[in-house]
């Protein structure tokens, strides 16, 4: 019994010593993040912010960047109002004249040039030599199928020889739907390019039909066309034909450009 009393007495003394001398047992005073931030100084404050608010700040910055890029893109985006393709344009284009001329053309048609432009593609070259199967020709042929098939061409040019091939493949629309009879009659007959689109479907008896529809597919410009000479798209001596694509999406402006060129 005496031994138990001694243990109790020792425990009380030990407890008393800890209460007076051992700060490690004192209860911690909990402070809010705002209070701790207010007490921090210099790099401590930076480290504290990074530790407690880093993820939130990162997410906020990302959202702001995305929003700013979206707004900037909408404000600075340019709409293509006309797609022009020049096939087999092997000349050296005068890009300054090209830009100036098409800018003036858009302005004359009351189109805001700060928000709209003309897309010009003069990179497609098709070698008309049947024995040639160069990679460039194959690539350009595939590109032609793509741009014409997706309606990404409004007005197009090509050397006379290849233009008729393109028209026979139904790349060209009927200019009789764009020009009046009087306008067509004012053009020299030898400049009018008519093409018959043959119906390749088979009839009910399995025989191929040889009927077709003849359309005014294009208008020849000849190698002395002042407008083409200024642009420099084609080399000297090459006769060029212009037409409106059968799947053109900007037919009205394409027609305006056609008339600007031929009249």
């Amino acid at each position: 019994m005496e031994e138990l009393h001694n243990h109790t007495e020792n425990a009380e003394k030990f407890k008393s010593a800890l209460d007076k001398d051992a700060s490690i047992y004192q209860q911690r005073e909990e402070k809010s993040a705002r209070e701790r931030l207010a007490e921090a100084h210099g790099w401590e404050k930076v480290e504290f912010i990074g530790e407690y608010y880093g993820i939130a700040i990162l997410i906020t910055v990302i959202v702001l960047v995305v929003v700013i890029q979206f707004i900037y893109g909408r404000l600075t985006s340019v709409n293509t109002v006309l797609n022009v393709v020049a096939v087999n344009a092997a000349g050296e284009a005068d890009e300054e004249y090209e830009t100036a001329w098409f800018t003036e053309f858009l302005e004359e048609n009351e189109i805001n040039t700060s928000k709209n432009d003309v897309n010009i593609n003069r990179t497609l070259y098709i070698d008309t030599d049947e024995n040639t199967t160069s990679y460039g020709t194959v690539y350009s042929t595939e590109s032609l199928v793509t741009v014409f098939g997706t309606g990404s061409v409004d007005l197009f040019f090509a050397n006379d020889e290849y233009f008729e091939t393109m028209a026979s493949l139904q790349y060209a629309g009927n200019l009789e739907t764009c020009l009046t009879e009087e306008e067509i009659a004012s053009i020299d007959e030898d400049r009018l390019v008519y093409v018959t689109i043959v119906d390749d479907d088979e009839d009910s008896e399995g025989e191929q039909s040889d009927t077709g529809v003849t359309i005014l597919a294009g208008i020849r410009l000849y190698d002395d066309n002042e407008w083409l000479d200024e642009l420099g798209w084609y080399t000297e001596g090459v006769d060029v034909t212009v037409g409106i694509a059968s799947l053109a999406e900007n037919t009205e402006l394409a027609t305006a450009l056609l008339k600007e060129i031929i009249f």
Side-chain angles (χ1 to χ4, degrees), residues 159-171:
N159 55 307
D160 284 358
E161 182 179 1
Y162 194 66
F163 184 93
E164 294 193 24
T165 298
M166 296 175 67
S168 66
L169 294 173
Q170 301 184 37
Y171 288 158

Side-chain angles (χ1 to χ4, degrees), residues 96-111 113 116 118 227 253 257 260:
E96 289 187 6
Y97 176 80
E98 177 183 278
T99 300
W101 193 92
F102 279 99
T103 298
E104 184 178 350
F105 168 75
L106 292 180
E107 291 174 347
E108 289 177 352
N109 285 272
E110 300 181 349
I111 295 176
T113 55
N116 304 281
V118 177
W227 183 76
L253 195 58
L257 177 55
E260 185 80 18

Side-chain angles (χ1 to χ4, degrees), residues 49-64:
I49 293 174
E51 179 180 354
Y52 285 89
Y53 303 105
I55 295 178
I57 293 174
L58 178 62
I59 293 174
T60 301
V61 169
I62 292 174
V63 171
L64 283 175

Side-chain angles (χ1 to χ4, degrees), residues 84-135:
V84 177
V85 172
V87 182
N88 292 346
E92 295 184 6
D94 185 338
E95 295 184 1
E96 289 187 6
Y97 176 80
E98 177 183 278
T99 300
W101 193 92
F102 279 99
T103 298
E104 184 178 350
F105 168 75
L106 292 180
E107 291 174 347
E108 289 177 352
N109 285 272
E110 300 181 349
I111 295 176
N112 185 351
T113 55
S114 65
K115 296 292 184 180
N116 304 281
D117 69 355
V118 177
N119 177 49
I120 300 173
N121 183 349
R122 38 183 166 72
T123 64
L124 302 176
Y125 185 83
I126 309 295
D127 196 327
T128 54
D129 185 349
E130 296 180 356
N131 298 319
T132 301
T133 56
S134 66
Y135 173 78

Side-chain angles (χ1 to χ4, degrees), residues 157-160 219-223 228 234 238-242:
F157 303 80
N159 55 307
D160 284 358
I219 299 173
R220 292 188 179 93
L221 301 180
Y222 297 126
D223 66 340
L228 277 181
Y234 291 90
V238 175
D239 289 335
V240 177
T241 300
V242 59

